[in-house]
């Protein structure tokens, strides 16, 4: 007999843990299936050197429990990966969440069983689970893009991907190390290992805009002040665009003098947080000329910092507007290229031909390495779902349904897949916000929805195709009103060969999105079909027979 639950959750990271907590508190039986041996999700897998969140600790922590907040002392402005992992382990212990998690196990398939109004979930150990609800909480940026470069298997040294970093210590001291990729992971890894290695070679395909990260320890006074004001700070973040407590600007960049702009950009650069430059003026992400002013400001900082003009030019992003690919925060990133043992290879001039047993061959020749780090990113937003063989109503697979790009209603559900929910899915604002605020919104909404179904004696909820089509169109329209779709970013899937190009995150902002989701729920889940009262008593009967094992 398969195990039966009200909800099976994929993943035990920030999303999965909060789902267990909320659903269990609401009286549902849940099981989270986690591929890793422990909790943490992103913060378990991305244990690469220098991994650190570029959203401030205060805004990158759960807000659902004041007790949790009061007992956890963040040590730094930007939390490092080890501290985030400790925090998530603490959350799992504090709320006794581990007993509802199956570790070291992957979900391989999920099939909707129409008469039963539930899901049969297949695991990689051959077990099956049954669940009324199937919730994809495996992360928006979690499926590593281990980019196919000929000869990778032949390399005799060590190979790593930042997104599946080993948990035992890796010592790069005195080694010749190649880092492929200059996104957030590449910038953090390179800067963290530069002091130790004998030789660091950074392989760059597209230069990024990287602002300095100004991290510092959090004093007891700062923590006390935060705890006093956190309620209001969280509330502001929940209704903001990006899930952070900073106001969206009202002044346009082109309405002020060049001197005033420079001053604003310099302040933002020096007080940096991830969104600081973007929040200087209202028009930066919608007006190309306005964006050019901030893009040029960053280019000026690169020219000022990097001594060799050829290297400076190679590091200078010109092919896309600032922040249309996610910008990076880095500690001494541009300064690093002034060091004699650090070299930049511009793959636009000298592409990689193959990986050899000794190293990497580009069109300018072969260079030997002891280790190669792939910081080549992720199959974002759809990758985690795509690795599971999901079959919905009438045999429709998610692969088929999303062949032209992901189709969701609110980023939370997809037509043809009843009782399936996504957390921070494509079509939600998640990836362009401070994730934890988005996750809490999604999980709260899903929990409320399940409680509503139970209260009404309903067994199934499914997005209506028309409502979904309108949402997909709305997401596109909002994106098309901005500069974001211009870049070949993971937001549009351009980093994965063959992935349909579609701008996936919802750019309307978290506050607007929250209001829409709430209004839809208040209107009786407008745009969803709610059905199937017949199936619930069956589950209840079975639960009674099994001595209340199935929550409800
Ligand atoms: O991945 P990325 P990431 N040959 O996709 C290059 C979050 N995050 O892991 O730009 C050569 O940004 C690729 O080049 P190009 C954050 O949301 C947050 O760094 O596609 N190069 C690019 O330079 C972030 O945005 C934090 O031309 C290849 C790099 O690899 C997201 O995760 C830290 C290549 C990939 O950059 C992903 O970041 C880390 C190839 N075949 C991550 N394929 C913080 O909070 C790809 N590249 C700080």
């Amino acid at each position: 007999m398969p195990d039966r639950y009200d909800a099976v959750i994929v993943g035990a990271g920030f999303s999965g843990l909060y789902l267990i907590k909320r659903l269990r508190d609401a009286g549902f039986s849940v099981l989270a299936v986690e591929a890793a041996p422990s909790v943490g999700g992103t913060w378990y897998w991305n244990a690469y050197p220098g991994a650190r969140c570029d959203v401030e600790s205060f805004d990158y922590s759960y807000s659902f429990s004041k007790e949790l907040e009061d007992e956890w002392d963040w040590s730094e402005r930007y939390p490092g990966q080890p501290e985030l992992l400790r925090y998530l382990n603490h959350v799992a212990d504090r709320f006794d969440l581990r007993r509802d998690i199956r570790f070291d196990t992957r979900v391989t398939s999920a099939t909707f069983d129409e008469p039963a109004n539930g899901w049969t979930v297949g695991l990689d150990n051959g077990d099956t689970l049954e669940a009324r609800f199937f919730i994809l909480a495996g992360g928006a940026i979690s499926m590593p893009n281990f980019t196919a470069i000929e000869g990778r298997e032949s390399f005799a040294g060590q190979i790593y991907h930042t997104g599946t970093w080993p948990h035992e210590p890796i010592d790069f001291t005195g080694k010749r190390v190649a880092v492929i990729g200059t996104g957030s992971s590449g910038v953090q890894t390179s800067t963290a290992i530069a002091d130790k290695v004998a030789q660091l070679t950074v392989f760059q395909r597209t230069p990024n805009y990287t602002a300095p990260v100004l991290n510092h320890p959090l004093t007891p006074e700062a923590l006390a002040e935060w705890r006093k004001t956190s309620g209001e700070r969280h509330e502001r973040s929940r209704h903001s665009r990006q899930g952070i407590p900073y106001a969206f600007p009202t002044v346009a960049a082109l309405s002020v003098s060049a001197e005033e702009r420079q001053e604003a950009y310099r302040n933002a650069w020096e007080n940096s947080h991830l969104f600081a430059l973007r929040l200087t003026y209202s028009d930066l992400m919608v007006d190309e000329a306005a964006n050019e002013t901030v893009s040029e400001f960053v280019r000026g900082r690169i020219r000022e910092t990097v001594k060799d003009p050829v290297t400076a030019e190679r590091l200078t992003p010109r092919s896309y507007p600032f922040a249309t690919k996610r910008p990076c925060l880095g500690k001494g990133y541009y300064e690093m290229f002034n060091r004699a043992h650090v070299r930049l290879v511009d793959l636009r001039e000298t592409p990689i031909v193959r990986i050899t047993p000794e190293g990497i061959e580009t069109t300018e020749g072969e260079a030997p390495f002891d280790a190669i780090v792939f910081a080549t990113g992720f199959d974002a937003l759809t990758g985690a779902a795509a690795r599971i063989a999901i079959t919905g109503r009438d045999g429709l697979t998610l692969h088929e349904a999303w062949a032209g790009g992901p189709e969701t209603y609110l980023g939370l559900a997809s037509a043809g897949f009843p009782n399936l929910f996504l957390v921070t899915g494509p079509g939600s604002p998640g990836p362009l916000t401070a994730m934890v605020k988005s996750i809490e919104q999604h999980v709260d909404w899903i929990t409320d929805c399940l409680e509503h179904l139970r209260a009404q004696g309903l067994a199934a909820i499914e997005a209506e195709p028309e409502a979904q089509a309108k949402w997909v169109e709305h997401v596109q329209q909002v994106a098309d009103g901005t500069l974001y779709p211009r870049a070949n970013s993971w937001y549009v899937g351009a980093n994965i060969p063959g992935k349909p190009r579609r701008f996936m995150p919802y750019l309307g902002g978290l506050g607007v999105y929250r209001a829409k989701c709430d209004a839809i729920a208040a209107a009786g889940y407008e745009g969803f079909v709610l059905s199937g009262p017949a199936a619930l008593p069956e589950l209840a009967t079975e639960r009674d027979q099994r001595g209340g094992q199935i929550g409800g």
Side-chain angles (χ1 to χ4, degrees):
M1 281 286 288
D3 289 338
R4 294 184 145 223
Y5 300 90
D6 290 324
V8 164
I9 299 160
V10 180
F14 262 106
S15 307
L17 292 177
Y18 185 44
L19 273 165
I20 299 172
K21 167 87 178 92
R22 279 295 327 263
L23 291 175
R24 192 204 272 169
D25 286 355
F28 294 103
S29 68
V30 292
L31 181 76
V33 182
E34 169 56 61
S38 185
V39 299
T42 288
W43 299 106
Y44 175 85
W45 294 106
N46 287 269
Y48 59 83
R52 184 176 291 284
C53 183
D54 54 17
V55 173
E56 290 160 290
S57 305
F58 293 153
D59 304 315
Y60 200 82
S61 38
Y62 289 119
S63 65
F64 69 83
S65 164
K66 185 66 183 143
E67 294 74 27
L68 169 64
E69 191 166 282
D70 286 347
E71 72 201 15
W72 185 265
D73 288 341
W74 289 108
S75 68
E76 294 176 277
R77 179 186 184 193
Y78 293 104
Q81 176 271 336
E83 186 169 16
L84 278 161
L85 192 55
R86 279 199 303 280
Y87 172 73
L88 290 169
N89 273 280
H90 169 74
V91 170
D93 291 333
R94 189 190 193 287
F95 297 107
D96 188 22
L97 303 180
R98 288 181 211 272
R99 66 183 157 93
D100 289 328
I101 306 172
R102 201 176 286 190
F103 291 107
D104 287 311
T105 310
R106 266 188 198 285
V107 171
T108 52
S109 66
T111 307
F112 186 67
D113 177 352
E114 219 164 330
N117 268 327
W119 288 86
T120 302
V121 178
L123 307 181
D124 62 355
N125 60 8
D127 286 356
T128 48
L129 310 171
E130 283 184 3
R132 171 58 44 83
F133 301 100
F134 180 56
I135 309 178
L136 291 165
I141 313 166
S142 59
M143 176 72 187
N145 169 31
F146 219 137
T147 186
I149 298 177
E150 189 197 320
R152 198 180 77 203
E153 294 72 26
S154 72
F155 182 59
Q158 303 152 294
I159 286 209
Y160 305 100
H161 188 288
T162 51
T164 49
W165 200 266
H167 276 236
E168 54 277 6
I170 307 292
D171 188 7
F172 286 127
T173 310
K175 300 245 167 83
R176 298 160 304 176
V177 181
V179 176
I180 305 176
T182 53
S184 297
S185 306
V187 165
Q188 289 188 328
T189 307
S190 321
T191 49
I193 65 173
D195 280 344
K196 299 193 182 95
V197 299
Q199 212 186 79
L200 176 65
T201 309
V202 176
F203 290 81
Q204 170 194 273
R205 189 164 70 178
T206 311
N208 214 320
Y209 294 89
T210 300
V213 63
L214 299 173
N215 196 20
H216 54 72
L218 291 172
T219 59
E221 295 73 37
L223 284 165
E225 179 57 24
W226 173 53
R227 287 183 177 125
K228 245 193 313 176
T229 56
S230 69
E232 191 258 335
R233 182 176 177 129
H234 289 315
E235 199 49 20
R236 246 186 303 146
S237 301
R238 288 183 192 116
H239 298 281
S240 69
R241 284 203 189 202
Q242 285 120 340
I244 49 170
Y246 305 112
F248 194 78
T250 50
V251 176
L254 298 180
S255 70
V256 303
S257 68
E259 294 70 33
E260 193 175 322
R261 275 197 305 266
Q262 283 299 106
E263 180 65 15
Y265 295 151
R266 200 168 283 283
N267 279 337
W269 185 260
E270 283 166 8
N271 305 310
S272 96
H273 61 79
L274 180 62
F275 297 97
L277 277 171
R278 256 176 291 179
L279 291 180
T280 46
Y281 294 107
S282 59
D283 51 350
L284 295 181
M285 300 314 297
V286 292
D287 181 322
E288 202 169 346
N291 188 292
E292 182 56 19
T293 64
V294 69
S295 299
E296 193 44 37
F297 171 82
V298 181
R299 294 179 197 131
R301 302 290 72 68
I302 300 170
R303 282 193 293 270
E304 240 171 47
T305 311
V306 181
K307 293 196 179 119
D308 170 33
V310 176
T311 305
E313 184 51 32
R314 286 180 177 143
L315 285 165
T316 298
R318 296 192 185 279
S319 59
Y320 62 99
F322 171 76
T324 54
K325 274 167 106 89
R326 193 173 182 279
C328 307
L329 293 187
K331 189 168 171 233
Y333 180 61
Y334 295 119
E335 290 82 349
M336 181 181 85
F337 291 97
N338 293 330
R339 303 176 69 176
H341 72 299
V342 179
R343 182 168 165 250
L344 181 74
V345 174
D346 188 336
L347 296 176
R348 295 165 300 181
E349 295 167 11
T350 52
I352 294 175
V353 178
R354 65 178 68 82
I355 293 177
T356 66
E358 289 77 34
I360 298 178
E361 183 185 334
T362 66
T363 50
E364 69 175 354
E366 186 182 354
F369 294 106
D370 302 306
I372 302 175
V373 175
F374 280 75
T376 44
F378 298 86
D379 182 357
L381 291 153
T382 57
R387 75 189 296 166
I388 303 171
I390 297 174
T391 309
R393 234 175 353 87
D394 304 324
L396 177 73
T397 67
L398 198 69
H399 275 287
E400 289 159 354
W402 289 10
E407 305 272 331
T408 72
Y409 183 36
L410 302 171
L412 280 163
S414 190
F417 301 86
N419 291 358
L420 177 147
F421 292 100
L422 302 112
V423 179
T424 63
S428 82
L432 277 160
T433 66
M435 273 287 195
V436 186
K437 284 289 177 302
S438 276
I439 286 168
E440 288 187 324
Q441 185 276 340
H442 287 191
V443 172
D444 290 342
W445 192 92
I446 292 169
T447 308
D448 292 349
C449 174
L450 265 55
E451 287 186 292
H452 173 81
L453 295 176
R454 183 176 58 193
Q456 301 296 315
L458 295 164
I461 180 164
E462 180 180 350
E464 282 174 8
E466 301 73 30
Q468 176 168 289
K470 271 195 199 147
W471 181 255
V472 170
E473 196 188 326
H474 175 59
V475 171
Q476 285 310 303
Q477 266 172 0
V478 176
D480 289 344
T482 73
L483 303 175
Y484 281 94
R486 305 259 183 110
N488 290 326
S489 64
W490 58 257
Y491 301 147
V492 296
N495 60 329
I496 303 297
K499 191 163 171 171
R501 189 179 180 107
R502 176 180 289 187
F503 194 87
M504 293 179 279
Y506 176 54
L507 278 171
L510 178 60
V512 168
Y513 173 80
R514 176 185 301 279
K516 281 183 196 290
C517 289
D518 288 350
I520 283 166
Y525 293 89
E526 204 174 14
F528 288 96
V529 182
L530 279 56
S531 63
L536 264 185
E538 264 173 48
L539 203 71
T541 310
E542 185 134 359
R543 176 191 314 132
D544 297 342
Q545 284 165 357
R546 287 162 60 106
Q549 250 176 300
I550 301 172

